[in-house]
Amino acid sequence: FRLNKKLLSNRYLRLLLVIIGIASCIWTIKTAAAFGGSRFLTRTAVVLQNLAAAQTAIRLTPNDAQAYRANAALLSQIDAKAECVMALEQAIALRPSDYSLWLALGQMRDKMGDTPGALSALNEAVALAPYYAHPRWQRGNVLLRAGQYEAGFTDLNLAAQSNPELLPNIIDLAWSVTRGDPQLVQELVELKSDKARLLFAGFLANRGRPAEAIEQSSAAGNLNENEGRELVQQLLAKRAFGEAFQVWAAPQGNSATTTPTFYDGGFEGTLSTNEIGFGWRLPATNSLKLSVDTNQPHSGAKSLRIEFAGDPNSALLSQLLIVEPSTRYRISFAARTEEIVTGGRPVVVVNDTAETGGELGKSGVLDKGTTDWRSFSFEFTTSPKTNAVSVVVSRERCPTSPCPIFGSIGLDSFSIERLR
């Protein structure tokens, strides 16, 4: 009897264990199905911008922070700020160590005008992710709007250390806060590297502060080719010709002087098709061939040869020259032609680079047909606002359009002198 009772007891125990196991499996399957369904609905809600799907996901898994986060994101898009804050707070209660949830809460509170609440949430985000740029960037901006400039720029500078791409924005913010005071900007923004100083130099150039731009570029040390080109372009765009020449001339081995001079007026160097500064600028065209010619140059060992094959363009090449205002100059050069046939012959023109612009002077036109070297010279006077001119090898106005040209010309011995 005792043996039968023991066997019966074991049978009930095994049955109970089986029932518990089955119930556990059912619960696990049900929970996994609910979780999987919730995550599916969460993804669907985000992709399709479906708020109802996000709310259904919360009902399926009320303890899943991700569902509340998706709900908050969609509430934010429909400008339901208060409901969005509540959803984020519920998500944080479930996952308090997620800095991104605190960050989102801080941003939303800031949008609602709750500065203390925003800073409280952003403090948590920074504490959880002290080396991440985004939390400090957001807190820094909130502090700036609250008038706490020193604390704000401390955060922004630390953000830039983590993400240097933020530095241009920080400089722009400092420029706005200081109302365009370069010295105060330097006090607020940490320009610790040569790259940062060069970035500030470009910013100053774009804001029409060429002298300060040169000061920053000098502090940055020697510029590489790309850095120098970019700064020269920025300065030229603001008509800061003297400062642009100072940057351009340094790697060329030239001194930054106001004495006008042609760079490679005899074409002894190598021709470049990507000149953006004060050397010869060549046109980008396939129907015009420019080359250095060593066959009987006018002076030196080389001259420039331009071969035409019907090219209708008017500008052939040009060079910027630094000049002084209200001053008279003479330009001299030599040219020869070979079988030139056209209705618009080549001519050298001097154009003013001041905002008013205009033609200041031009040479006589080059001869048609074939000629030997011939010397040309002409004079022009700069206006009171002129500090640079553009010397352009161009063509005279043609009576017909298009106006092709055939043959070739040689150019050499460009020079400029100041007249008393």
Side-chain angles (χ1 to χ4, degrees), residues 4 31 42 46 53 57 89 99 117 167 190 203 211 250 263 291 316 326 343 355 367 392-393 401 408-409:
N4 290 337
T31 301
T42 298
V46 172
E89 289 173 342
Y99 87 95
L167 188 56
E190 296 180 0
F203 178 92
Y263 174 73
S291 60
L316 307 180
S326 303
E355 290 188 13
D367 297 322
V392 184
V393 179
S401 180
S408 66
I409 63 171

Side-chain angles (χ1 to χ4, degrees), residues 227-265:
E227 292 168 342
R229 285 174 60 85
E230 184 176 357
L231 185 55
V232 167
Q233 287 178 310
Q234 291 167 329
L235 290 166
L236 288 178
K238 295 298 180 180
R239 301 181 186 277
F241 297 103
E243 290 81 2
F245 181 75
Q246 185 175 339
V247 175
W248 179 87
Q252 308 294 337
N254 298 333
S255 59
T257 174
T258 56
T259 302
T261 183
F262 277 94
Y263 174 73
D264 194 18

Side-chain angles (χ1 to χ4, degrees), residues 330-354:
R330 178 187 292 122
I331 285 180
S332 302
F333 67 97
R336 64 182 175 185
T337 61
E338 184 177 344
E339 300 180 353
I340 286 292
V341 178
T342 182
R345 290 178 290 174
V347 63
V348 176
V349 180
V350 175
N351 294 322
D352 196 346
T353 60

Side-chain angles (χ1 to χ4, degrees), residues 267 291-297 301-305 336 373 410:
F267 304 98
S291 60
V292 172
D293 189 1
T294 58
N295 182 29
Q296 296 182 335
K302 303 174 183 176
S303 63
L304 177 69
R305 179 181 175 85
R336 64 182 175 185
W373 286 110

